[in-house]
Amino acid sequence: EELQAMSAAAAATADARTAAWQHRRSSCNGRLPVIKEDQRRGGSIGTASSVAAGQKSSDSSGGWKDLCARSHRKMAAVGIILWGLQLLSGIDVITNYAPQIFDRGQDDISESRKLFYTLLVGVVYVAATPFATLTVDRLGRRALLLSGSFGMTLMYIGISVVIGGSIGGSEALLPFVLLLVIFYSVSWGPVSCAMASELVETSIRAKVNAVGTVTNWLADYVVVSSFLTLSSTLGERATFAMYASICFLSGIFVLVYVPETNGLALGDVRGSVESENG
């Protein structure tokens, strides 16, 4: 009898557990369509939100038309012009035609000495460039560009005078050429490209630099390809005087239109310009 009672109790417990399990199963089956519907709706909402966020991101990336937008066009134009003025300065005439330039020093100069002077120009070019990295945050971008512009102006005038036969020979020409390279290497060489990027907002920076790079190469092509023609028609003295004028005008352009970006966060330049303009 005791064994029968224990068997009956075990059977009753099993029946109770089976009933509870069936109840939970039926409850889950009842909620499952609701859960699936919520997931479907949530997925749709998430997908729509993702699309909207992607469209917003695409809209804020800046199209080519934004270069001409009123809020962007001034600083975009300034940045692109800086790219062009970098090589309109005539620096590649010095690096490409250095042997011919030293040959115009009104004295007989050996080929080995011309080669040595040319190599010296390249060494000074490389050695002077890190100076800009060390001083650009201390002195400011604008100050370096101004000093480079007016310093190069004076050096081109000196080259023009020496080539014109007024003083000395190739030895007198060498200091002016080396100082010209130094002024460029610490200013327009590295600073103009960096400043062109700092002047514009992130949304159009890549496009400004793309247009600026094309302008830079076009300026380089015009200057290098026209040097021999200008030298034969105007004379070398007048040609270097013309480069001096370009550097002087570049300094005036920086003085009037280029704001200082040193110490400003990217994107804050426009606010600074607007406050300066009243």
Side-chain angles (χ1 to χ4, degrees), residues 182-229:
I182 291 173
F183 276 117
Y184 176 83
S185 298
V186 301
S187 60
W188 282 91
V191 176
S192 58
C193 301
M195 200 167 191
S197 297
E198 294 176 346
L199 288 173
V200 296
E201 296 181 0
T202 306
S203 59
I204 62 169
R205 185 170 298 131
K207 295 176 178 61
V208 168
N209 286 335
V211 177
T213 302
V214 173
T215 305
N216 185 268
W217 280 106
L218 287 175
D220 187 41
Y221 174 78
V222 169
V223 169
V224 174
S225 64
S226 64
F227 173 70
L228 296 179
T229 302

Side-chain angles (χ1 to χ4, degrees), residues 10-237:
T13 302
D15 291 340
R17 289 180 177 176
T18 302
W21 178 79
Q22 290 177 345
H23 176 73
R24 287 196 299 269
R25 181 180 178 184
S26 62
S27 299
C28 290
N29 289 338
R31 291 201 308 265
L32 188 59
V34 178
I35 294 173
K36 289 183 177 180
E37 180 66 18
D38 290 342
Q39 290 177 343
R40 185 184 66 80
R41 291 180 178 178
S44 299
I45 294 172
T47 303
S49 301
S50 300
V51 172
Q55 290 176 346
K56 184 177 180 181
S57 175
S58 176
D59 293 340
S60 63
S61 63
W64 286 101
K65 291 183 179 179
D66 289 347
L67 292 179
C68 299
R70 186 173 183 179
S71 59
H72 293 149
R73 62 191 176 197
K74 180 179 179 180
M75 287 298 101
V78 170
I80 292 170
I81 292 173
L82 284 176
W83 274 100
L85 290 177
Q86 183 196 52
L87 292 183
L88 278 178
S89 63
I91 188 64
D92 277 355
V93 167
I94 302 298
T95 56
N96 284 280
Y97 295 104
Q100 293 90 323
I101 293 172
F102 287 120
D103 199 30
R104 305 301 195 272
Q106 304 300 319
D107 60 349
D108 294 329
I109 180 173
S110 65
E111 291 296 326
S112 60
R113 180 167 293 187
K114 284 193 292 185
L115 178 60
F116 173 73
Y117 287 169
T118 302
L119 292 175
L120 190 59
V121 168
V123 170
V124 172
Y125 200 142
V126 175
T129 300
F131 180 80
T133 305
L134 299 174
T135 59
V136 66
D137 290 328
R138 190 186 318 166
L139 301 178
R141 285 83 161 139
R142 196 165 179 262
L144 288 178
L145 290 179
L146 288 172
S147 61
S149 297
F150 298 127
M152 292 171 69
T153 299
L154 294 176
M155 296 308 105
Y156 273 126
I157 292 174
I159 293 172
S160 178
V161 171
V162 173
I163 288 181
S166 301
I167 58 173
S170 56
E171 284 77 10
L173 192 60
L174 181 63
F176 290 108
V177 172
L178 294 181
L179 285 173
L180 173 68
V181 171
I182 291 173
F183 276 117
Y184 176 83
S185 298
V186 301
S187 60
W188 282 91
V191 176
S192 58
C193 301
M195 200 167 191
S197 297
E198 294 176 346
L199 288 173
V200 296
E201 296 181 0
T202 306
S203 59
I204 62 169
R205 185 170 298 131
K207 295 176 178 61
V208 168
N209 286 335
V211 177
T213 302
V214 173
T215 305
N216 185 268
W217 280 106
L218 287 175
D220 187 41
Y221 174 78
V222 169
V223 169
V224 174
S225 64
S226 64
F227 173 70
L228 296 179
T229 302
L230 291 174
S231 297
S232 61
T233 56
L234 301 178
E236 291 179 342
R237 186 175 185 179

